[in-house]
Each structure stands twice: as C-alpha cells, then as structure tokens.
C-alpha cells in the first residue's frame, strides 16, 4: 500500500490508542473492584497488562489492514532502524510522524469531550518532574528499554502470540511505573504531543527535546543493539526511482 494509506492508518490508530488509554484505566479499576482485589499489590498490574495485550492485538490487526500502520512513532522508528520494515524510509517517517501527531491530538480531544467528568483523574498526559536534560536522558533510556524488549520478545521470545504480547505489555507497564517519577514515560511522542497541544505546550522545547528527540534516539539505539545482538545486516539504502 502507498505511504498515504499507511499515514491515514497511523492517524486513525493513534487517535484510537490515545482515546483508549483513559478508558483502559477506568476499566482496570472497575475490574479490580469487581474482583475485590484492591488489596492485592499486583492485581492492577495484571489486569491492565491483560487489557493492553488485547487492545494491541486488535490494533495490530487494524494496522495490517492499512499496510503496517502504527500508533507510536517510536515503534515505527524501532522497526525501521532494525530493518524489519523493508518499505520504510526516512521520507516515509517524515510523512507518518505528523499523521501520528495529528492522531494524538484527535484522541486527546475525543477523550476530553466524551469521557465523563467523574473520571477526570484519568484525563492527564505525561509531565516532566525533573530537569530538562535528565528528562531527555530518562525518556531515551525508557524508550530504549521498551524498544529492545519489544524486538527481543517478538522475534526471539516465546512462539505463542498472546504470551509475546503480554510480555511486551508487562515490560512496558514496568517501565511506565518506573518512569512516572521522571517523565511519565509515555514512550510515545504522538501521545505526548496530543496532551501538550490541548494544554498549549506544543511549541515548547520540553516537548520536542524530551518526548520526541529523547524517545526517538532511545528507539534507534534499542534497534541498533538488537541488530548487534542478533547479527542482522544493515538494510540496503533505499533506491530512488528515476523519473
């Protein structure tokens, strides 16, 4: 499929993903409450990772329909640098990233407009809790860890698809919990952009330095380390078609 079709899928998936995150928190609390498991320390983690796994499986199916669309620029960069998306190029990223950012804005606006006010505590985006440089390094490290875990689990992990996805969700949840004291660890530049936009912070250096540059560098580094660990050859340069 053409890059425009994929970019449309990127925007759609990203808006759906960002909109679903507050809902995920609400359903997690409801399910844990119904099970009477509020006092169990790992109950919330187990329920949330199970729900995220189901959600990602659905979104992956939709992404494949659109030719490989994704809801996360960092994940797109990870697979591109790892050489696992043969049709990707830097030019395609230049088209897809803005589409994903626009999807992030649409998802946040939909969440703010449709989710009842009683759940306003779930309607918050990432926030920087450390200085700018520490935040950029932290977001880079968290995204590096997530990208490397994603690649190792998906391509060197268990054969069962559900188990793979749950392990990725578990690794992501652990990183988010760890990163909550630093940047919130969204590890998703498009999601961070959406929340920054509605809060009129989308022109800030903090957004791009921490949540875009830091995250994309971490994703790139994670893919490089994966390539080194599994000894994958570098992808050949994309040939430009002659007019």
């Amino acid at each position: 499929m053409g890059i425009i079709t994929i970019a449309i899928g990127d925007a759609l998936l990203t808006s759906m993903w960002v909109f679903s995150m507050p809902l995920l928190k609400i359903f997690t609390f409801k399910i844990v409450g119904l099970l009477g498991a509020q006092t169990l320390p790992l109950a919330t983690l187990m329920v949330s990772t199970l729900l995220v796994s189901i959600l990602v499986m659905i979104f992956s199916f939709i992404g494949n329909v659109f030719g490989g669309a994704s809801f996360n620029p960092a994940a797109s960069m990870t697979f591109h640098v790892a050489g696992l998306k043969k049709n990707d190029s830097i030019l395609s990223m230049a088209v897809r990233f803005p589409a994903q950012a626009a999807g992030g804005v649409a998802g946040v606006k939909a969440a703010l407009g449709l989710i009842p006010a009683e759940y306003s505590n779930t309607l918050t985006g990432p926030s920087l809790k450390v200085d700018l440089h520490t935040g950029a390094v932290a977001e880079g490290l968290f995204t590096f860890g997530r990208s490397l875990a994603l690649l190792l689990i998906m391509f060197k992990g268990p054969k069962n698809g559900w188990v793979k996805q749950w392990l990725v969700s578990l690794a992501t949840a652990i990183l988010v919990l760890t990163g909550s004291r630093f940047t919130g660890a969204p590890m998703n530049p498009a999601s961070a952009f959406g929340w920054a936009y509605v809060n009129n912070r989308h022109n800030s250096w903090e957004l791009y330095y921490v949540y875009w540059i830091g995250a994309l560098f971490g994703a790139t580094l994670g893919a490089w380390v994966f390539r080194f660990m599994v000894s994958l050859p570098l992808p050949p340069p994309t040939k430009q078609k002659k007019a």
Side-chain angles (χ1 to χ4, degrees):
M1 291 188 181
I3 185 60
I4 299 302
T5 301
I6 298 175
I8 292 172
D10 287 333
L12 176 63
L13 279 181
T14 307
S15 64
M16 293 168 58
W17 178 261
V18 173
F19 175 74
S20 67
M21 287 300 97
L23 294 177
L24 180 75
K25 296 176 185 177
I26 294 170
F27 281 117
T28 297
F29 295 143
K30 294 288 187 183
I31 293 172
V32 171
L34 287 173
L35 295 175
Q38 299 94 325
T39 58
L40 298 178
L42 296 179
T44 300
L45 178 64
M46 293 298 105
V47 172
S48 64
T49 53
L50 177 60
L51 293 178
V52 168
S53 299
I54 295 171
L55 204 60
V56 171
M57 294 289 278
I58 296 171
F59 279 33
S60 296
F61 173 78
I62 299 173
N64 289 333
V65 172
F66 281 92
S70 170
F71 53 82
N72 188 342
S76 300
M77 180 63 79
T78 296
F79 287 111
H80 167 64
V81 175
L84 300 170
K85 295 286 186 179
K86 301 302 181 183
N87 295 326
D88 274 352
S89 65
I90 295 300
L91 178 61
S92 71
M93 296 294 106
V95 176
R96 297 181 64 187
F97 286 176
Q100 289 166 323
V105 174
V108 171
K109 287 191 171 184
L112 292 173
L114 297 175
I115 295 178
E118 63 183 291
Y119 300 113
S120 59
N121 62 312
T122 67
L123 299 173
T124 57
S127 61
L128 187 62
K129 300 176 178 65
V130 293
D131 66 86
L132 198 63
H133 299 303
T134 301
V137 172
E139 188 68 11
L141 288 174
F142 295 136
T143 311
F144 163 79
R146 200 262 179 185
S147 297
L148 183 58
L150 171 66
L151 293 171
L152 288 175
I153 293 170
M154 297 305 294
F155 296 98
K156 295 295 180 179
K159 295 181 179 180
N160 185 282
W162 283 100
V163 175
K164 282 184 178 183
Q165 192 52 65
W166 181 78
L167 288 174
V168 172
S169 299
L170 180 62
T172 302
I174 292 172
L175 288 168
V176 170
L177 289 173
T178 305
S180 62
R181 297 181 292 110
F182 296 89
T183 63
M187 297 172 285
N188 185 335
S191 174
F193 182 87
W195 288 105
Y197 184 88
V198 299
N199 290 307
N200 200 29
R201 292 188 291 106
H202 58 290
N203 291 321
S204 67
W205 175 235
E206 172 189 311
L207 169 66
Y208 296 102
Y209 182 42
V210 175
Y211 296 103
W212 279 89
I213 296 174
L216 293 178
F217 181 79
T220 300
L221 186 60
W224 281 342
V225 171
F226 174 75
R227 296 189 69 90
F228 176 78
M229 293 175 67
V230 300
S231 300
L232 287 175
L234 288 172
T238 303
K239 293 183 179 180
Q240 299 294 330
K241 293 183 179 180
K242 295 183 179 181

